[in-house]
Amino acid sequence: QVQLRQSGPGLVRPSQTLSLTCAISGDSVSNSTSLWIWIRQSPSRGLEWLGRTYYRAKWYSDYAVSVKSRMTINADTSKNQVSLQLNSVTPEDTALYYCGRGSDFWSGYIDNWGQGTLVTVSS
Amino acid sequence: QSALTQPRSVSGSPGQSVTISCTGTDSDVGNYNYVSWYQQPPGKAPKLMIYDVSQRPSGVPDRFSGSKSDNTASLTISGLQAEDEADYYCCSYAGSYTWVFGGGTRLTVL
């Protein structure tokens, strides 16, 4: 079965870059029917869909309007993983970050979730 | 986009049925049949319970069902069990390749 294992620092300084990775087992990051999604959860904002990447003969990414200017999601086929980078972070970016796998381009449902990574933005 | 609106909490006794609503707009819930529901026990990652308004993934009990009318989607849990106690979130396609979640509903089994 598909397993997603997240890693990354739990503390990021304000104005710095938040970087997380999601290692995939049981599926290929290049699978043309899978989508790799990032979501975050905080008490103030609840669950928030952040963005996704997917391979359809080439790589594509979609982002939520709220983070589009600061976020990049990449795939690393050699390591079978996806990564998230969020620039210029503020305390409002403090949240539990999840990666997930989607199986339908339009439906967007997430059928496998990582374990979550708590990221605190603080000096 | 604004988050979808869910009641903060619902409750029911074992064996009863409860329904959780998820209200959006013509730009999301009302315009697409792409509503999903997730169950999140305390301290755990969400789990997919319903997709495409009313489809159940394999392994999800048929006590869980979904529906939609206009801008409101609903999750109904029948034959309530203690293990159903959790937070529930809806999610809808919102156009332009983005998705929006609801604020979450805490289900208490009395």
Side-chain angles (χ1 to χ4, degrees):
Chain A
Q1 73 278 21
V2 176
Q3 289 192 326
L4 306 176
R5 183 171 299 176
Q6 300 176 222
S7 60
L11 179 65
V12 182
R13 304 300 181 192
S15 80
Q16 300 300 304
T17 297
L18 182 163
S19 297
L20 298 173
T21 60
C22 176
I24 302 158
S25 59
D27 195 358
S28 168
V29 71
S30 304
N31 185 342
S32 61
T33 62
S34 294
L35 306 102
W36 307 100
I37 303 162
W38 286 94
I39 310 99
R40 67 184 177 185
Q41 184 173 30
S42 65
S44 60
R45 301 162 79 116
L47 282 171
E48 183 180 9
W49 187 93
L50 296 176
R52 66 179 185 175
T53 193
Y54 50 95
Y55 184 75
R56 301 291 185 268
K58 69 174 187 177
W59 289 100
Y60 295 87
S61 295
D62 302 309
Y63 300 99
V65 170
S66 60
V67 295
K68 189 171 186 175
S69 63
R70 299 190 292 132
M71 180 170 288
T72 303
I73 298 174
N74 286 318
D76 184 335
T77 57
S78 66
K79 296 181 178 178
N80 204 37
Q81 66 184 29
V82 291
S83 64
L84 173 149
Q85 284 195 313
L86 183 63
N87 302 325
S88 305
V89 297
T90 72
E92 286 216 339
D93 295 311
T94 294
L96 182 57
Y97 286 75
Y98 290 102
C99 65
R101 186 193 75 164
S103 299
D104 186 279
F105 182 86
W106 290 109
S107 178
Y109 63 82
I110 302 164
D111 54 14
N112 283 273
W113 293 69
Q115 82 277 20
T117 301
L118 180 60
V119 177
T120 301
V121 179
S122 175
S123 55
Chain B
Q1 302 99 342
S2 299
L4 307 175
T5 300
Q6 298 181 232
R8 281 192 172 261
S9 64
V10 298
S11 62
S13 300
Q16 288 186 331
S17 293
V18 294
T19 296
I20 300 171
S21 61
C22 169
T23 301
T25 68
D26 291 341
S27 298
D28 37 63
V29 175
N31 200 31
Y32 306 100
N33 288 322
Y34 296 134
V35 176
S36 52
W37 289 90
Y38 300 88
Q39 176 193 67
Q40 186 178 33
K44 294 193 172 184
K47 173 189 174 184
L48 179 68
M49 305 302 285
I50 295 286
Y51 67 95
D52 293 355
V53 175
S54 60
Q55 303 302 303
R56 263 189 323 274
S58 62
V60 173
D62 59 6
R63 302 185 295 103
F64 291 83
S65 62
S67 62
K68 192 189 84 165
S69 177
D70 298 326
N71 295 344
T72 298
S74 299
L75 173 71
T76 298
I77 309 170
S78 58
L80 206 57
Q81 299 180 3
E83 66 203 48
D84 299 332
E85 188 161 288
D87 292 331
Y88 290 83
Y89 294 88
C90 60
C91 182
S92 173
Y93 182 58
S96 301
Y97 308 126
T98 63
W99 281 259
V100 62
F101 282 93
T105 299
R106 173 69 53 88
L107 169 62
T108 301
V109 180
L110 302 170

